[in-house]
Amino acid sequence: MRADRAEVSWDANKSKWLVRIVIGEEVIRRACDLASNASQQDLRNAAQKVLQDEGYEADGTAIVIQQPHAA
């Protein structure tokens, strides 16, 4: 099964990266313990791992990474 997309964004309240998997109307949210300054490739790899852990195909799924804004 393939997800529509995955989004990775910084959750400032929890100081963690948040991976959102979107499948139609359903959204699965999983926290990720990477550092706030993690590279784009590390974030993409983490999103792919979450997709696989949740039983979705990582290949071909659009992954959007939103970097945290400097305060």
Side-chain angles (χ1 to χ4, degrees), residues 18-71:
L18 182 64
V19 178
R20 289 181 194 87
I21 301 170
V22 179
I23 314 100
E25 296 288 322
E26 182 180 356
V27 178
I28 298 171
R29 294 174 178 85
R30 297 290 179 259
C32 180
D33 289 329
L34 292 174
S36 63
N37 62 346
S39 71
Q40 291 253 339
Q41 189 59 48
D42 288 341
L43 295 170
R44 188 169 305 282
N45 291 342
Q48 288 176 338
K49 182 172 181 346
V50 171
L51 281 162
Q52 290 172 344
D53 289 350
E54 294 296 326
Y56 294 96
E57 295 176 25
D59 293 341
T61 300
I63 298 174
V64 177
I65 299 173
Q66 300 173 359
Q67 292 290 347
H69 299 287

